[in-house]
Amino acid sequence: MHASSRGAGPALFHLVRYWSRRWAPGVAAGTDSAVQDILVVEAVAASAAGADIGERAVTVTDVAEQLGLDRSGASRLVSAAVAHGYVARAAAGGDARRAALTVTPAGAELLAAAHAWQDGVFAELTAGWKADDVRRLAGYLRRLAAANPP
């Protein structure tokens, strides 16, 4: 461990704890289901964009992997997102036993609103910072996220 990174881990986890309790109300109605719907839509979109998916359909198993859940838990979350109109489910390749998942227009709007809110929070948190510091932190955060995909 670099001496200069001492305290960074606890700081990171402080931020995770802080935002895990606060972020949903700014995006939607503030319910647990809003957070879960956003997570599912994000997982479906990320899976669809993933190079490992290729031409095959996004499935509940993909969502489970993205969210670090078992298939049963992911299936419940996907069912709720479908019921709320954010994700569509259809038979995958004519096989009624496998569901192909896609983000609906309402889901795309929800995800765009979540991303806009997240960008707004970042801007608020760094409002007093120098532009170079904001740019540098943003780059480091994107780098950290890219190096640690779900």
Side-chain angles (χ1 to χ4, degrees):
M1 174 190 337
H2 297 281
S4 63
S5 69
R6 247 185 257 299
L12 175 64
F13 279 84
H14 167 81
L15 289 171
V16 168
R17 283 191 310 274
Y18 179 85
W19 289 110
S20 69
R21 296 186 302 266
R22 289 170 179 80
W23 79 278
V27 177
T31 64
D32 286 342
S33 67
V35 173
Q36 293 170 348
D37 288 339
I38 292 165
L39 292 173
V40 170
V41 172
E42 183 83 60
V44 172
S47 293
D52 62 326
I53 298 295
E55 294 296 317
R56 73 176 180 81
V58 175
T59 66
V60 171
T61 300
D62 296 316
V63 172
E65 288 174 11
Q66 286 279 333
L67 300 180
L69 300 173
D70 62 22
R71 192 180 183 298
S72 174
S75 182
R76 282 190 295 278
L77 293 180
V78 166
S79 292
V82 168
H84 298 142
Y86 299 123
V87 172
R89 180 185 301 195
D95 183 352
R97 296 169 295 169
R98 288 182 15 100
L101 306 173
T102 57
V103 175
T104 66
E109 288 178 24
L110 179 70
L111 192 55
H115 289 171
W117 185 83
Q118 292 162 359
D119 285 339
V121 168
F122 182 80
E124 287 177 30
L125 290 173
T126 58
W129 292 29
K130 293 179 182 177
D132 283 347
D133 290 341
V134 173
R135 182 186 45 74
R136 197 173 301 114
L137 177 60
Y140 292 147
L141 288 171
R142 286 189 295 269
R143 179 177 167 189
L144 184 62
N148 297 283

